[in-house]
């Protein structure tokens, strides 16, 4: 009998002092309104996975400056400190680690690249890279074949 009483008392206390659980996003997003006041908004992006270069056998990232996602959901990361372009497929499998590019029989390397842009037309994908310290923009395919170099005008 005492055992049943203890069980009932424990159950009653659990019901009385139960705290409801709430599932909330880990962070609240915000945007600025026309008066430059921050107002709550849905998160544009949420963290799902961390990419570490060493996990892919390509060494750690160093100062990644830009990234883009193509129409095929491939992820392009411009790893500026290592002067390279890293390409992952939509399952985050490594597809390319481009640190050397071919152009008219010569080898080009990046030097402090700061931006990239993916342009797709007629089923062809081209990547524009702002090769900042070399003062040029290169246009390459996903294999590192450069078809155009835009040098700084003088």
């Amino acid at each position: 009998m005492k055992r049943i009483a203890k069980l009932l008392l424990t159950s009653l206390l659990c019901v009385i002092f139960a705290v409801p659980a709430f599932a909330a996003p880990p962070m609240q997003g915000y945007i600025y309104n026309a008066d430059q006041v921050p107002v709550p908004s849905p998160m544009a992006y949420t963290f799902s996975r961390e990419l570490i270069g060493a996990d892919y056998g390509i060494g750690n990232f160093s100062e990644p400056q830009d990234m883009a996602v193509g129409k095929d959901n491939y992820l392009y990361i411009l790893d500026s400190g290592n002067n390279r372009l890293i390409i992952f497929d939509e399952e985050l499998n490594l597809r390319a680690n481009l640190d050397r590019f071919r152009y008219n029989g010569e080898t080009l390397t990046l030097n402090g690249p700061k931006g990239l842009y993916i342009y797709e037309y007629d089923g062809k994908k081209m990547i524009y890279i702002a090769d900042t310290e070399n003062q040029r923009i290169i246009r390459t395919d996903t294999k590192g074949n450069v078809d155009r170099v835009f040098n700084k005008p003088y």
Side-chain angles (χ1 to χ4, degrees):
M1 188 68 164
K2 285 186 179 183
R3 189 173 185 176
I4 294 175
K6 283 183 183 179
L7 183 61
L8 285 173
L9 181 59
T10 303
S11 298
L12 181 61
L13 289 174
C14 286
V15 170
I16 292 172
F17 294 108
V19 177
F22 294 99
M27 296 181 285
Q28 176 65 40
Y30 67 92
I31 59 171
Y32 290 98
N33 66 14
D35 297 322
Q36 298 303 309
V37 176
V39 294
S41 72
M43 292 293 291
Y45 302 96
T46 56
F47 177 83
S48 64
R49 182 174 168 191
E50 180 179 26
L51 297 177
I52 299 173
D55 293 345
Y56 293 91
I58 58 173
N60 288 324
F61 293 114
S62 176
E63 302 175 36
Q65 292 291 315
D66 202 0
M67 69 178 188
V69 177
K71 291 179 183 177
D72 55 3
N73 289 324
Y74 274 38
L75 175 65
Y76 301 82
I77 299 176
L78 192 59
D79 187 11
S80 299
N82 290 318
N83 298 311
R84 64 184 179 176
L85 173 66
I86 309 297
I87 304 173
F88 294 97
D89 66 18
E90 62 185 324
E91 300 297 323
L92 297 178
N93 298 307
L94 181 65
R95 289 295 173 197
N97 176 14
L98 301 174
D99 59 358
R100 301 204 186 300
F101 300 84
R102 291 170 300 285
Y103 180 64
N104 290 339
E106 66 179 286
T107 299
L108 303 180
T109 57
L110 301 174
N111 186 9
K114 300 292 184 208
L116 74 128
Y117 178 74
I118 312 300
Y119 182 68
E120 298 179 48
Y121 65 96
D122 294 334
K124 190 173 181 183
K125 182 184 312 175
M126 299 308 290
I127 305 164
Y128 290 80
I129 301 174
D131 190 10
T132 307
E133 296 302 317
N134 285 328
Q135 300 182 352
R136 66 184 177 195
I137 295 172
I138 65 169
R139 183 171 72 185
T140 181
D141 64 11
T142 59
K143 305 287 188 220
N145 299 307
V146 175
D147 72 339
R148 189 90 189 262
V149 175
F150 303 89
N151 290 304
K152 178 183 176 181
Y154 294 100

